[in-house]
Amino acid sequence: MRASPRPAARRSLARLAVGTLAVAACAGGDGDAEPSPSESTAAESTADEPTDDDPTSPVVIVDEPGDDDNSVDIPGSSTTDATGSTPTTAPAATTTLATVPDTGVPGLDSELPFCQAWSTFAGSFQALALASAFATDPDAARGAEVAASPVLIAAAVAIDAQLPEALEAERGVLTVDALGPLLRRAERNVAALRTAGATDAELDAIGEAWFDALASAGIDDPDIAPVLAEATATLVADAAAVVASETPPINQDPSLVTNAAIPETEAYLVANCPDQGTLAGNDIVDG
């Protein structure tokens, strides 16, 4: 259950979490443990703050002292520079954007690195929010979140590295205020995978499996699940059990609801990216 991609009234990109967590309001069942979509909660994430993030594989960001290789790839994308020291300007779209499809995740194969990274992060967020509220098996939904975490981290790094120069003034609000809460959850999930024994190669496989599931199932399947080898699936399940005992589900996490305002980023997405802002909740709700 999600808002129709055909709009009557716009919702702000700044409230990305509100758009994706709207499904949580319908889920119910936990009283005051879950926020209303109309609230703007400034609660801080309970996740541990990350230290020096140093990606050591094409998908995953991990702490590896002494490793200066900061290149990060999102599965299915071109290589991106994740140093973050100098903003990279993504080229403006030169053709009229096609109509946003009603299914799938538009932009996962975009030639614009910023748009591709945005679709990966925001599309994953929407898919996971739906699963956290309506999955047949809540444990499987938490496992899907853990599996998505390597890709979420890589996408967040790519958004920062590939931020168009025109959006530089909103860099902090976008990457820290709007995306930061889910990023911290993802970092905690990857740390749990590491503790469960996941290697770099297994983290790569987990991230790739999530990306494939997202590209195949889109954001409308509450039972979205990556296809993993049995041993790798066990690692994911073990990590998911640990984080489930420490953090609430996505649809009940108040730290994911923010009031960050990013009008320039919103306008850029609408004008240049294949999702045209719909993955941020900027769609029209009929009626």
Side-chain angles (χ1 to χ4, degrees):
M1 179 174 111
R2 71 181 176 94
S4 164
R6 297 289 176 265
R10 253 171 129 78
R11 291 197 298 272
S12 172
L13 165 65
R15 297 186 56 83
L16 168 66
V18 176
T20 56
L21 296 180
V23 293
C26 301
D30 284 319
D32 57 8
E34 62 183 84
S36 165
S38 62
E39 293 176 342
S40 296
T41 306
E44 296 181 355
S45 171
T46 57
D48 297 335
E49 289 297 329
T51 55
D52 300 321
D53 290 329
D54 235 349
T56 58
S57 73
V59 177
V60 186
I61 299 174
V62 293
D63 292 333
E64 295 289 344
D67 186 352
D68 294 325
D69 180 7
N70 289 326
S71 62
V72 177
D73 282 351
I74 300 169
S77 74
S78 58
T79 300
T80 58
D81 179 5
T83 62
S85 57
T86 303
T88 304
T89 302
T94 56
T95 58
T96 302
L97 294 175
T99 301
V100 180
D102 289 343
T103 59
V105 185
L108 286 183
D109 59 353
S110 174
E111 295 182 357
L112 299 180
F114 174 79
C115 295
Q116 198 274 338
W118 165 259
S119 289
T120 301
F121 190 97
S124 294
F125 195 175
Q126 284 216 13
L128 294 172
L130 185 75
S132 71
F134 298 114
T136 303
D137 180 358
D139 291 337
R142 185 60 74 115
E145 181 193 346
V146 169
S149 294
V151 167
L152 284 168
I153 294 173
V157 170
I159 287 171
D160 186 49
Q162 300 294 338
L163 191 76
E165 186 175 355
L167 304 182
E168 181 61 33
E170 292 182 352
R171 177 185 295 275
V173 184
L174 172 63
T175 61
V176 177
D177 299 342
L179 308 186
L182 186 62
L183 175 59
R184 287 191 290 273
R185 283 183 67 107
E187 288 165 340
R188 187 170 199 147
N189 292 339
V190 168
L193 283 168
R194 285 289 191 191
T195 300
T199 64
D200 287 348
E202 286 168 327
L203 289 172
D204 285 349
I206 290 167
E208 289 169 2
W210 168 256
F211 188 88
D212 290 344
L214 181 66
S216 176
I219 59 177
D220 295 313
D221 182 1
D223 293 316
I224 185 172
V227 178
L228 297 166
E230 183 176 355
T232 307
T234 298
L235 287 173
V236 170
D238 290 346
V242 171
V243 295
S245 70
E246 299 173 343
T247 59
I250 284 179
N251 66 318
Q252 297 174 28
D253 187 348
S255 75
L256 296 178
V257 182
T258 80
N259 61 354
I262 320 171
E264 294 301 321
T265 301
E266 177 179 309
Y268 183 92
L269 292 170
V270 172
N272 297 283
C273 294
D275 79 298
Q276 298 175 40
T278 59
L279 292 176
N282 290 336
D283 50 349
I284 304 265
V285 180
D286 294 333

